[in-house]
Amino acid sequence: MSKLSGVYRRQRRSGGTPAGDEEGRRCGRGSLPGDGLPQEGEGAGPSAAATTCRISSSSSSSDAAAPRLVEFSASLHGGSLHDFRATDVDGGRREHRDCRAGIAGLATALGLHRQGIRSVVLESSPTLRAAGFAFTTWTNAWRALDALGVGDTIRAHHLRGQRLVVKSASSGETTTKLSLMAQGRSGMHEIYCVKRNFLLETLEKELPRGTIRYSSKIVSIEEDGNIKLLHLADGSIIRTKVLIGCDGVNSIVAKWLGLKKPSFSGRSATRGLAEFPNGHGFQPEFLQFSGEGFRAGLLTCSEQSLYWFFTWTPSLTEVEENTSKMREYILKKLKLAKVPDEVIQVIEVSEMSDVVSSPLRYRSPVSLLCGKITKENVCVAGDAFHPMTPDLGQGGCSALEDSIVLARCLGEAIRGEDKGGKKGEYERIKDGLKKYAENRRWRGIQLIVTAYIIGFIQQSDNAFIGFLRGKILSGIMAKTLMKMADYDCGKL
């Protein structure tokens, strides 16, 4: 079984001497792998200018490839995946990766780990964050999760959806019923509603201990030759050879690449989760209500958990001030529409998001078409790359797709699998990220455009669009959901 040795360096802008030899120190979850660097409230003074720690850890037998002996200098920012630098002690190879502890960041870090490449995740918050409670996990996401080796673990704790049922919020009539277990191009469809915290915790457990560094927020990026300098909010500076931004819709990495800020769709969303210890009694199906100026849905996570969402076009800001007003507003809208009482009762007893409402944003397809997804050894993934409205349920799913393609392209580059075999590591990394961008650009554009159009049609209260939605478009849109999910990002 291979052994992995890591060296992590963290420097402060101020002067000072090393805080002592930390050789052999075992670091906790809140630190870098093998990081002997000061944590929150731990030796954060000027004397802790540079600290080094070495550790050795065995690779898991379940990994696709055993890690090689490497020396790392890495950092990942919460919500963003930045590349870290690693030096292959045997062959002089250097690698850097940084990731955020969101879906894209953790999944990419795990994808790299499965190939024997260790990374560090910089998470800006003090703990894992699971905003949104749950998300629809479509067939394409399961292919990515299976490639990471965690699919069956997650399936075992959730109910597989059997049907999609779409109802008119105006008439209460069912406009579409669609099996969620239909045959696709490369196998049976499978759709679940997965709790975000369970997914993130599952990904975290598969990573080497200490991979995620919490309370590490990147505030600026500088260049030093081929190296990127990441300035953290606490004054630390981290050197990285590859930087991957998975830092959400307000990505600092996307801004550095020159991508335009995401646009506001004119719609907002809120969501909640209801727990029923003795069982909720709902069938394993996804209910959706469209019309009357809103779109709402109820999905089964498990026999005890129900997830719901509500999107609308905001007009009065006061309803967004607190949870009670937001709940009151939603219930009023649903009661005026033709929504069953049992669905309304779920919302009445549910826990709502701390973020009372979220503006729905998307990146302009023109920005993705003409803008830079990668530049040299920097790229973006997940919402930092292709933020979209939630109407396809593909935000988290496409982030998982990104992670597999990105980890595969970087793995090939780091292992030196270029055709001629003569390029240096920096050039190989640049080529690997270009290959990733070529693979993902059009997929991102397709998802953004389709989600926007479907959301507009579903939520519209225009009488003519409502008529078309009920008679013709509802079935077409339901089939489009399945079509967009029938996608295979490949293996690692």
Side-chain angles (χ1 to χ4, degrees):
M1 195 173 287
S2 299
K3 297 289 183 179
L4 190 69
S5 173
V7 176
Y8 297 83
R9 297 182 179 85
R10 185 179 180 212
Q11 300 173 334
R12 291 190 173 273
R13 284 192 285 263
S14 58
T17 58
D21 185 5
E22 298 286 344
E23 184 77 17
R25 172 183 172 184
R26 180 178 178 84
C27 300
R29 280 194 178 187
S31 63
L32 298 171
D35 182 17
L37 308 174
Q39 303 304 302
E40 186 83 21
E42 173 192 355
S47 62
T51 312
T52 300
C53 171
R54 295 177 183 269
I55 65 166
S56 293
S57 62
S58 300
S59 62
S60 171
S61 60
S62 63
D63 292 349
R68 300 177 63 184
L69 187 64
V70 293
E71 175 186 348
F72 294 88
S73 177
S75 57
L76 294 83
H77 183 174
S80 68
L81 174 66
H82 324 296
D83 191 59
F84 63 93
R85 181 176 59 191
T87 301
D88 185 331
V89 177
D90 291 337
R93 179 173 299 160
R94 292 191 164 189
E95 304 148 24
H96 281 287
R97 313 209 183 353
D98 303 339
C99 312
R100 174 181 174 175
I103 293 176
L106 289 181
T108 307
L110 181 56
L112 294 168
H113 174 61
R114 295 300 194 216
Q115 300 181 83
I117 303 167
R118 290 190 71 178
S119 61
V120 177
V121 177
L122 297 182
E123 170 55 57
S124 58
S125 68
T127 60
L128 282 179
R129 296 177 293 175
F133 292 116
F135 74 104
T136 311
T137 312
W138 293 86
T139 308
N140 53 320
W142 288 110
R143 289 169 181 161
L145 291 170
D146 286 337
L148 293 172
V150 297
D152 287 342
T153 299
I154 298 169
R155 286 184 184 94
H157 290 80
H158 297 84
L159 283 179
R160 184 175 181 177
Q162 295 181 4
R163 289 174 300 279
L164 170 65
V165 180
V166 182
K167 294 177 176 288
S168 168
S170 302
S171 66
E173 295 180 357
T174 298
T175 57
T176 300
K177 276 190 178 182
L178 185 68
S179 171
L180 296 177
M181 306 174 75
Q183 179 69 33
R185 289 176 297 180
S186 54
M188 295 289 290
H189 279 280
E190 56 174 331
I191 295 92
Y192 295 71
C193 183
V194 171
K195 291 184 178 181
R196 285 181 179 265
N197 60 346
F198 187 86
L199 171 62
L200 295 179
E201 289 166 4
T202 300
L203 294 173
E204 179 198 27
K205 289 175 183 177
E206 293 293 314
L207 291 167
R209 186 177 183 184
T211 296
I212 306 171
R213 180 180 178 82
Y214 296 101
S215 300
S216 300
K217 181 180 180 181
I218 294 177
V219 294
S220 65
I221 304 165
E222 284 188 85
E223 295 186 78
D224 182 12
N226 295 338
I227 299 298
K228 299 299 180 284
L229 302 180
L230 311 180
H231 294 260
L232 304 189
D234 65 356
S236 304
I237 300 176
I238 295 175
R239 295 167 58 85
T240 180
K241 188 168 286 187
V242 181
L243 174 62
I244 305 170
C246 310
D247 43 344
V249 294
N250 297 314
S251 169
I252 190 172
V253 181
K255 182 179 179 181
W256 185 89
L257 287 170
L259 289 171
K260 293 183 178 180
K261 291 182 63 175
S263 303
F264 177 46
S265 67
R267 301 161 57 210
S268 292
T270 190
R271 52 197 64 84
L273 187 74
E275 296 285 356
F276 300 86
N278 297 323
H280 49 66
F282 280 81
Q283 295 297 314
E285 57 187 19
F286 295 173
L287 291 173
Q288 184 170 295
F289 303 89
S290 299
E292 298 298 309
F294 68 84
R295 186 175 74 96
L298 183 69
L299 301 85
T300 54
C301 292
S302 66
E303 292 180 352
Q304 291 78 36
S305 303
L306 290 169
Y307 168 72
W308 62 266
F309 65 85
F310 181 88
T311 69
W312 80 104
T313 302
S315 56
L316 299 175
T317 57
E318 58 264 24
V319 303
E320 303 179 21
E321 289 178 357
N322 58 56
T323 301
S324 61
K325 285 187 176 182
M326 187 74 259
R327 192 194 306 271
E328 181 181 339
Y329 174 79
I330 294 170
L331 292 173
K332 181 180 179 180
K333 293 285 287 185
L334 295 180
K335 289 176 180 179
L336 289 174
K338 300 293 184 178
V339 176
D341 289 341
E342 56 267 27
V343 173
I344 295 174
Q345 290 169 6
V346 169
I347 298 174
E348 287 177 332
V349 302
S350 67
E351 175 188 1
M352 289 183 64
S353 171
D354 291 334
V355 179
V356 177
S357 68
S358 305
L360 300 180
R361 303 184 184 278
Y362 66 97
R363 191 173 305 286
S364 165
V366 176
S367 178
L368 278 191
L369 182 64
C370 303
K372 292 183 178 179
I373 300 170
T374 69
K375 180 183 177 183
E376 299 170 351
N377 53 352
V378 178
C379 75
V380 284
D383 280 346
F385 172 15
H386 43 60
M388 65 189 73
T389 59
D391 307 286
L392 281 177
Q394 282 293 336
C397 300
S398 57
L400 289 168
E401 291 179 11
D402 290 345
S403 69
I404 299 299
V405 178
L406 181 53
R408 182 172 65 237
C409 291
L410 276 176
E412 292 171 355
I414 290 164
R415 292 191 298 269
E417 296 178 4
D418 58 302
K419 294 180 180 180
K422 298 180 181 179
K423 289 185 177 181
E425 181 193 57
Y426 178 68
E427 292 299 321
R428 295 198 309 270
I429 289 174
K430 285 173 58 178
D431 290 346
L433 294 185
K434 287 179 181 178
K435 183 178 178 181
Y436 158 74
E438 290 169 359
N439 183 292
R440 299 302 299 163
R441 187 188 302 272
W442 285 106
R443 172 68 170 168
I445 291 173
Q446 181 187 38
L447 292 174
I448 290 172
V449 172
T450 307
Y452 185 90
I453 293 173
I454 285 182
F456 173 79
I457 295 172
Q458 286 181 329
Q459 195 171 303
S460 176
D461 56 1
N462 178 276
F464 180 66
I465 293 179
F467 173 79
L468 292 178
R469 181 177 58 228
K471 300 299 182 181
I472 303 172
L473 298 178
S474 180
I476 294 174
M477 290 188 293
K479 291 178 181 178
T480 300
L481 297 180
M482 303 290 281
K483 180 180 179 181
M484 292 295 103
D486 197 5
Y487 180 89
D488 192 347
C489 59
K491 307 297 183 184
L492 289 171

